[in-house]
Amino acid sequence: MTPVEAYQSQILAAIRALPPVQLALPDAEGCMLAEDVTAAADLPSFDNSGMDGYAVLAADTEGASAQAPVALPVTGEIAAGDTGSFGLRPGTAMRIMTGARMPAGADSVIPVELTDGGSTRVLIRRAVRRGNSVRYSGEDASQGEVLLPAGTRLKPMHIAVAASAGRGTVLVRPRPRVVALSTGNELTEPGTPLVPGRIWDSNSYMIAAAAREAGAIAFRHAIVPDDPAGVLPALEEQLKRADLLVTTGGVSMGGEHDVVKAALSSLGTVTFLKVAMQPGMPQGFGTVGDDQVPIFTLPGNPVSAYVSFQLFVRPALGALQGDNAGHLPAVRARLAGPVRSPAGRRSYLRGVLSEDKTQVTPLSGQGSHQIAALGKANALIVVPEETQSLADGVAADVLVLP
Ligand code: AMP
Ligand code: MG
């Protein structure tokens, strides 16, 4: 059996990041930046007022107090966005708004709250220091400074930074396009009636949703029956639109209905192997088609498929986006109950991690078909290959689910 890390490394060695593309800012949100974004000009690009108030010389406010206000004539008004060139004469004030350019000759702003708000003459009730409420050119960033380094995952504040740097488009890794496809004669479309012996397909919906959560644009393929003649054409058709394919089902260890394995074995580029883990032992990975599209063939049991996605497909989706942070975050937490695990295989048991991430409670219902129990989990408790049980109260490695 192949150890989990060895299999993860094999997968990542076969994945190349998608070529970067220029995207308009709204489309770039959530993508990985593939260039440094630098400041086109100083930020702010001109000295401006930080408050609504009056532009003055600080020296002209000396000695001002509520009891003995200083009176200055108001010679004009500057609003945010005004582009004219204004000048202030000593011994006068100009009304100024937040974000408006400072007039030449002024060194301070008196907030309107410290005045009587006068329009031809203003009474100033407090002295201010030079530079009061002035936002200086370049105080946030200097022209040419790297504001967003390549490799930044663009969150809303980064979109704002790029926009403030004057960028309408940015070079990013595109979101990978993922197609999720379930195989199985037993599968029925959710929302339609069930006959005994059949189950509703949950895997394709789950994988598409998990892929989206991992930054992909995901499509779900209609259910594919266990027909070797149908599986391969369905996959080949999807190669045209996918950067990564995920199938579930049809890869167990030797059933004659294992059509995914049968279909892909003919291509010779997909390796089927046993990974030393539970759930999710039977795995398949390779690249197919002229474009060498990565394909994962996950086991059919829903919990196996989910855990396999998080351990193997998620890091691969990260790598396609040039992001090596695709692995689930790990913490150490105290077990709030005993757990068991088969010898020689690493278990990923479903658990509930406390808010402060110090305690994890194993869920009952650890079968790989028990999707209801998975629905209660927010973490996977890791039990090493050589360990067959862990007692209540001991510390364990825990993977935090997205
Ligand atoms: P397989 O890997 O095809 O042998 O399937 C293993 C188990 O997973 C069987 O009990 C299947 O019925 C179940 N299973 C397979 N595909 C799905 C699916 N798309 N949704 C829910 N359960 C599935
Ligand atoms: Mg099947």
Side-chain angles (χ1 to χ4, degrees), residues 282-298:
Q283 297 286 337
F285 171 74
T287 54
V288 284
D290 296 338
D291 296 331
Q292 298 286 289
V293 174
I295 180 166
F296 287 84
T297 66
L298 306 184

Side-chain angles (χ1 to χ4, degrees), residues 59-78:
D60 287 339
T61 70
E62 221 178 281
S65 69
Q67 291 73 33
V70 167
L72 295 177
V74 178
T75 63
E77 177 171 322
I78 315 170

Side-chain angles (χ1 to χ4, degrees), residues 183-186 226 249-250 257-258:
T183 65
N185 284 344
E186 72 276 36
D226 286 324
H257 296 287
D258 291 337

Side-chain angles (χ1 to χ4, degrees), residues 139-161:
E139 72 174 25
D140 193 14
S142 309
Q143 180 179 9
E145 194 177 318
V146 174
L147 302 176
L148 302 170
T152 302
R153 172 88 59 187
L154 294 173
K155 295 183 184 177
M157 69 274 225
H158 302 133
I159 298 294
V161 171

Side-chain angles (χ1 to χ4, degrees), residues 7-19 173-174 176-178 242-246 284-288 291-297 309 311-324 326-327:
Y7 184 46
Q8 285 171 329
S9 304
Q10 277 174 35
I11 291 164
L12 292 179
I15 306 256
R16 301 277 159 277
L18 297 172
R173 304 276 174 192
R177 296 159 305 163
V178 172
D243 298 310
L244 186 143
L245 291 173
V246 183
F285 171 74
T287 54
V288 284
D291 296 331
Q292 298 286 289
V293 174
I295 180 166
F296 287 84
T297 66
F309 178 94
L311 292 181
F312 307 123
V313 185
R314 195 170 197 273
L317 287 175
L320 282 175
Q321 297 168 77
D323 185 356
N324 58 15
H327 292 282

Side-chain angles (χ1 to χ4, degrees), residues 345-368:
R345 291 162 70 183
R346 188 184 304 177
S347 285
Y348 293 93
L349 301 168
R350 277 67 69 207
V352 179
L353 186 62
S354 61
E355 191 105 40
D356 65 1
K357 297 190 169 60
T358 60
Q359 178 165 306
V360 66
T361 308
L363 284 161
S364 62
Q366 292 286 347
S368 48

